[in-house]
Amino acid sequence: MSEDKEFYDIPEVLEYYLAHRRRPDNPNDALERPIFLELAGNLINLDIVDLGCGNAEFSSYALLQGARSYEGIEASSSMLDIACQTLAGTSGKVRHQSIETWRTKAEQVDLVSSRLALNYVENLKPVFQEIYKVLRPGGRVIISVEHPVITSNFTSLSEGRRNTWLVDNYFNSGARKHMWLGSEVTKYHHTLEEYFNLVTDTGFELTSVRESCPQRENFLSEAEYERRLRIPLFLFIAARKPK
Ligand SMILES: C[S@@+](CC[C@H](N)C(=O)[O-])C[C@H]1O[C@@H](n2cnc3c(N)ncnc32)[C@H](O)[C@@H]1O
């Protein structure tokens, strides 16, 4: 597990994060959510595991759409408390566990999702192997991560709101320390090629790669939409375990 596994347990970080998520046109709601839900598609009768589920917001949508079960995996106890509130009165569950130590019986799950959480995991290979194991044949995995052009270098973030995005040290994958939500965090940079190889080497069939191209209707502000046309913030990969 990364040394920052309890990053979201720092009270100021959690406060900043929740405020960030309430901001109009925040990237999670304006960019990540629409593409993730489009990739997720039909959820009827699916057993879903959500790695790094945060507040388990996806559970509300998934269960409403007819998913058979939802289980979130979350390392932060503060986030876990919020997830428990989200899941109260539903059939959804959340496990206090790290993605790295998560294990489930083979072929029990139809969809494994992980939204903006795998950037905190150093070694993704065993995680993808576990995802492959737990999926039923034909089951799907959908991940969103901060885009490699963003994670390559965080220098321009130190200026506050970015006006330029420096891409540097791209092929030097690994840890990147930077200030995020008021505290120092370690994230792990992987190139696009590495994500691709990770998925296909595990045995998955790649079904979609998306780069968070903004859609005007998802933004309240024209200026924010224009700004998001400048550089991709997120990378999405969807893949299927062969039948
Ligand atoms: C940016 S938040 C995203 C939350 C949620 N997936 C969403 O999209 O709204 C990242 C979440 O991943 C969790 N996380 C980070 N590293 C983790 C790990 N190694 N194991 C489990 N959860 C982790 C954090 O605690 C946090 O709740």
Side-chain angles (χ1 to χ4, degrees):
M1 182 182 293
S2 85
E3 66 199 71
D4 292 301
K5 68 180 190 298
E6 291 161 10
F7 179 67
Y8 286 86
D9 283 334
I10 302 168
E12 297 75 25
V13 166
L14 189 65
E15 203 175 303
Y16 269 118
Y17 176 74
L18 296 174
H20 167 79
R21 292 297 302 263
R22 287 191 291 267
R23 216 183 64 204
D25 284 345
N26 73 76
N28 300 66
D29 294 337
L31 288 171
E32 197 272 348
R33 192 172 197 272
I35 297 175
F36 174 77
L37 294 185
E38 187 189 325
L39 292 173
N42 185 350
L43 300 177
I44 292 175
N45 287 335
L46 299 193
D47 291 313
I48 299 174
V49 171
D50 191 13
L51 302 177
C53 67
N55 67 2
E57 189 224 349
F58 179 42
S59 69
S60 315
Y61 176 86
L63 293 170
L64 205 66
Q65 295 296 312
R68 184 166 39 221
S69 70
Y70 171 95
E71 183 174 44
I73 305 298
E74 177 52 55
S76 148
S77 40
S78 306
M79 277 292 195
L80 189 87
D81 290 345
I82 303 176
C84 287
Q85 291 167 29
T86 310
L87 293 164
T90 77
S91 60
K93 295 189 176 74
V94 64
R95 243 200 264 177
H96 191 197
Q97 193 168 28
S98 74
I99 293 168
E100 294 88 330
T101 58
W102 163 70
R103 299 288 178 273
T104 297
K105 286 185 199 151
E107 302 193 354
Q108 297 288 305
V109 178
D110 301 295
L111 173 65
V112 175
S113 55
S114 186
R115 304 173 63 185
L116 304 179
L118 295 181
N119 290 117
Y120 299 91
V121 176
E122 182 167 16
N123 188 2
L124 291 176
K125 192 173 171 187
V127 177
F128 273 84
Q129 287 169 338
E130 185 65 15
I131 295 173
Y132 191 90
K133 186 198 91 185
V134 308
L135 282 173
R136 297 186 172 109
R140 298 180 294 144
V141 55
I142 308 173
I143 67 159
S144 64
V145 288
E146 288 187 60
H147 198 286
V149 297
I150 297 290
T151 57
S152 72
N153 186 289
F154 288 96
T155 308
S156 37
L157 194 60
S158 61
E159 297 154 11
R161 191 167 166 77
R162 286 186 233 209
N163 285 312
T164 56
W165 285 263
L166 177 69
V167 178
D168 198 3
N169 288 319
Y170 185 83
F171 291 107
N172 187 8
S173 43
R176 302 286 193 274
K177 283 189 191 298
H178 76 104
M179 291 301 288
W180 168 238
L181 302 170
S183 285
E184 189 178 71
V185 66
T186 302
K187 290 181 186 164
Y188 295 91
H189 166 68
H190 303 279
T191 66
L192 180 59
E193 186 176 320
E194 285 171 339
Y195 282 117
F196 177 89
N197 288 337
L198 198 59
V199 170
T200 54
D201 290 353
T202 311
F204 286 106
E205 295 165 352
L206 192 69
T207 54
S208 191
V209 174
R210 300 281 293 272
E211 292 188 290
S212 70
C213 178
Q215 298 301 316
R216 179 65 188 91
E217 67 267 22
N218 296 327
F219 289 82
L220 297 173
S221 140
E222 178 69 24
E224 192 64 10
Y225 166 64
E226 294 284 342
R227 181 176 149 79
R228 296 306 179 198
L229 281 169
R230 295 181 63 188
I231 195 153
L233 284 198
F234 306 124
L235 171 70
F236 300 78
I237 295 181
R240 189 180 290 278
K241 180 173 175 172
K243 284 194 176 164

